Amino acid sequence: MATDSTPTSNPQFNSQFDPRFQSIGTRLLLSYLVVMTAILGISGVSIYHLLARRLHQQLDNHLQRLAQTSARTLGVVRHEYEEHRDKRYGYDSNDPDLPENLSELMAKYRQEGIFDVPSDYPLPDAQGVEWFDDRRQLMIREGNLFPDWDISANVPEYGLTKHKSYVKSYAIPVYGDLNGKRPLIGYVRASESTAILEAELRRLRWGLGIGGLVALGLTAIGGTWLTRQSLKPVERSFDRLKQFTADASHELRSPLTAIKTSVAVMQSHPERIHPNDIKKVAAIASAADQMSELVEDLLLLARIDDTSMPESMELFPVPIDEIVEDALDRAAIAASQKEIVLHYPDASIENVEVCGNAGHLRRLFGNLIDNAVQYTPEGGTVTVSIQRQTASVVVSVVDTGIGIASEDLPRIFDRFWRADKARSRRQGGTGLGLSIACTIAHRYGGEITVSSQLGVGTQFRIKFPLASSYRESVRRFTTP
């Protein structure tokens, strides 16, 4: 039936720290870690790409220098190559002893000492140079690494770089000088393996990754300490506020009791009251009752919030089905006055126990059922159901009342907050009923959610861990 839903958190039980501050601290720490992860991630990626680009640029520059140096010998290489292929000079093109590399092709030039050629300087491993004629036919090569792809048909004058399968090559066209013209005489391609470069980049990635994880670990440790330090003043202020609320509520009980007693005595002797003052005395009695209810609610919240009180540590198995039945019995009179049907389809469910304080749980379900009856129009229905699950129990309170606007759902558990429609429909009340219910649910390891639709109704779902599951989770959480 519901279209909008607002869940509340489920803080863990802790005997030393306020669960709400634990939740805030956890969110602050996670936010800090997310920001630091983003900063470290962006920094690491930027550093990696800058270094990778620089290394690739250095390799490109090296290949360009090697190709340009080798290009100066292309004319001689082509001449010697054509001599070896020309039968006029007595060579057989199918001769198995034909030169296979530049060193063999240019042997006679080294022997005669005419001029030095690049083959005088041995190429490193995983590197190679190839000389092509103007038809892109391979003439000769030097080195031990050569690409398995053909040279491109369109090599620009500034050269062409290609990277594939851990091999990077750089090819340039070579032009001659003939009567002011620049005819194409061939191509030179220099190649080198990128395996070593990729291995360096892989080590860099590992280093950045491990360094980032270490930095995040140290950030988490430092962030935990900083979060605790930053929350201490807030927690102290909150504790002082809770103490003030508890002290003020306690101190107000005595004068309120005196006022209520005096008013009761006056009302017990109506003949002593001036007729014009009867309504005033009744108003005083009503205000005193409402004030007493508010004080008791504040004291209850202060006791539940104070996790250091010994009584808050006393957790006993409580049959939740009996608690629900008691709350329904107390609401029966108010429901009958408005002709509201209280529907309890799970009356046969028994022995469903949760850990908690019976009085607190009775107040929780009493507030929810009373609230449902209060905001359900005459002739409506309030349905209370219990569903037992593997390790938990879910109690639902569904009414056919006026509903709650979606924009109001996130605030309905705030203390002293009531929507305008609810305030206009209900007389009295302190505005603490739902806040008390939410606080009690969280205090005993449960969660409470609400979904509602205007004009259709509202559903509250309260989920508690079963007694056995809750005791085990508390034992694990509190055992050092």
Side-chain angles (χ1 to χ4, degrees):
M1 107 180 168
T3 58
D4 301 301
S5 179
T6 299
T8 62
S9 60
N10 181 13
Q12 295 288 339
F13 177 83
N14 193 326
S15 60
Q16 296 179 351
F17 304 103
D18 193 316
R20 285 168 298 188
F21 285 98
Q22 281 191 317
S23 177
I24 294 173
T26 300
R27 290 197 296 270
L28 285 175
L29 179 59
L30 289 177
S31 301
Y32 183 54
L33 289 178
V34 168
V35 172
M36 289 303 300
T37 300
I39 293 174
L40 291 174
I42 294 173
S43 300
V45 171
S46 300
I47 291 172
Y48 174 79
H49 282 290
L50 286 174
L51 290 177
R53 183 178 179 181
R54 182 177 179 181
L55 291 174
H56 278 285
Q57 186 63 47
Q58 290 177 349
L59 178 59
D60 292 342
N61 293 338
H62 172 70
L63 289 175
Q64 290 175 13
R65 289 193 299 269
L66 181 60
Q68 291 167 359
T69 300
S70 302
R72 294 199 296 266
T73 66
L74 181 60
V76 177
V77 168
R78 180 171 179 177
H79 173 74
E80 287 299 312
Y81 177 79
E82 290 177 350
E83 278 190 352
H84 282 73
R85 294 293 183 266
D86 195 339
K87 293 183 178 181
R88 289 178 302 171
Y89 292 88
Y91 292 102
D92 184 0
S93 59
N94 296 319
D95 187 350
D97 295 328
L98 286 176
E100 296 182 355
N101 54 52
L102 183 66
S103 300
E104 297 177 1
L105 180 68
M106 307 299 291
K108 73 174 184 177
Y109 285 92
R110 287 202 310 274
Q111 293 172 358
E112 298 175 2
I114 297 177
F115 62 88
D116 291 336
V117 294
S119 58
D120 290 327
Y121 308 97
L123 294 174
D125 293 337
Q127 192 175 92
V129 178
E130 298 166 288
W131 287 262
F132 298 84
D133 60 18
D134 55 345
R135 297 186 303 275
R136 302 192 309 280
Q137 297 297 317
L138 177 65
M139 295 185 296
I140 205 72
R141 56 191 179 184
E142 182 72 19
N144 56 11
L145 177 71
F146 309 103
D148 57 0
W149 60 83
D150 296 331
I151 195 168
S152 176
N154 299 310
V155 179
E157 188 170 349
Y158 56 82
L160 179 65
T161 301
K162 189 172 182 180
H163 188 190
K164 181 180 178 183
S165 301
Y166 293 101
V167 176
K168 178 173 277 193
S169 69
Y170 175 74
I172 56 172
V174 181
Y175 297 91
D177 187 3
L178 181 63
N179 299 326
K181 297 181 180 180
R182 300 178 66 241
L184 177 67
I185 62 175
Y187 301 87
V188 172
R189 180 169 67 181
S191 306
E192 186 169 340
S193 172
T194 60
I196 297 177
L197 186 147
E198 293 297 335
E200 290 292 334
L201 292 178
R202 187 161 51 249
R203 285 192 290 270
L204 175 61
R205 288 194 296 269
W206 275 101
L208 290 173
I210 294 174
L213 291 177
V214 172
L216 279 180
L218 295 176
T219 300
I221 295 174
T224 301
W225 182 81
L226 288 174
T227 300
R228 289 181 178 177
Q229 293 299 115
S230 62
L231 284 178
K232 281 182 179 180
V234 180
E235 190 167 4
R236 284 194 295 267
S237 299
F238 185 74
D239 288 340
R240 286 195 292 267
L241 179 61
K242 287 197 301 183
Q243 188 62 43
F244 170 78
T245 301
D247 292 343
S249 300
H250 182 74
E251 294 299 326
L252 285 172
R253 297 178 76 179
S254 296
L256 281 173
T257 301
I259 293 173
K260 291 177 65 176
T261 302
S262 300
V263 171
V265 171
M266 293 175 62
Q267 289 180 326
S268 64
H269 298 84
E271 69 279 0
R272 301 180 182 179
I273 305 175
H274 192 280
N276 295 334
D277 296 331
I278 293 178
K279 291 184 178 180
K280 297 178 182 179
V281 172
I284 293 172
S286 176
D289 290 338
Q290 188 173 0
M291 194 67 181
S292 296
E293 183 181 356
L294 175 60
V295 168
E296 294 299 327
D297 287 348
L298 289 174
L299 280 173
L300 176 61
L301 284 172
R303 293 192 185 103
I304 297 173
D305 285 337
D306 190 358
T307 58
S308 64
M309 293 180 63
E311 66 175 5
S312 65
M313 296 292 296
E314 298 176 359
L315 304 177
F316 301 100
V318 178
I320 199 169
D321 52 300
E322 296 182 7
I323 297 293
V324 171
E325 290 175 2
D326 291 344
L328 287 169
D329 291 340
R330 289 196 301 273
I333 297 177
S336 63
Q337 292 175 350
K338 297 178 63 176
E339 298 182 352
I340 293 174
V341 177
L342 294 179
H343 186 47
Y344 182 46
D346 303 311
S348 60
I349 294 181
E350 296 180 352
N351 300 323
V352 180
E353 294 184 337
V354 300
C355 271
N357 180 289
H360 292 170
L361 294 176
R362 193 173 289 111
R363 182 64 180 273
L364 184 159
F365 292 108
N367 284 0
L368 292 180
I369 295 175
D370 289 345
N371 190 75
V373 171
Q374 188 68 43
Y375 294 117
T376 298
E378 295 183 359
T381 303
V382 174
T383 303
V384 181
S385 60
I386 300 177
Q387 181 183 2
R388 180 169 184 166
Q389 300 177 347
T390 304
S392 60
V393 59
V394 177
V395 180
S396 300
V397 179
V398 184
D399 64 57
T400 58
I402 60 176
I404 305 170
S406 59
E407 62 271 17
D408 294 333
L409 285 175
R411 301 187 58 191
I412 64 169
F413 294 112
D414 293 349
R415 297 179 183 185
F416 299 107
W417 186 89
R418 286 181 290 185
D420 291 338
K421 285 187 176 182
R423 187 179 295 115
S424 65
R425 291 289 302 271
R426 180 173 181 175
Q427 300 296 326
T430 62
L432 293 173
L434 293 180
S435 178
I436 290 174
C438 181
T439 304
I440 293 173
H442 290 168
R443 180 64 186 83
Y444 298 116
E447 64 178 15
I448 180 170
T449 59
V450 57
S451 55
S452 184
Q453 186 176 359
L454 283 175
V456 177
T458 303
Q459 178 184 27
F460 287 91
R461 293 181 80 254
I462 310 94
K463 183 177 182 179
F464 279 109
L466 293 174
S468 56
S469 301
Y470 184 66
R471 283 197 298 266
E472 179 63 21
S473 65
V474 170
R475 184 189 65 79
R476 290 198 305 267
F477 191 80
T478 57
T479 300

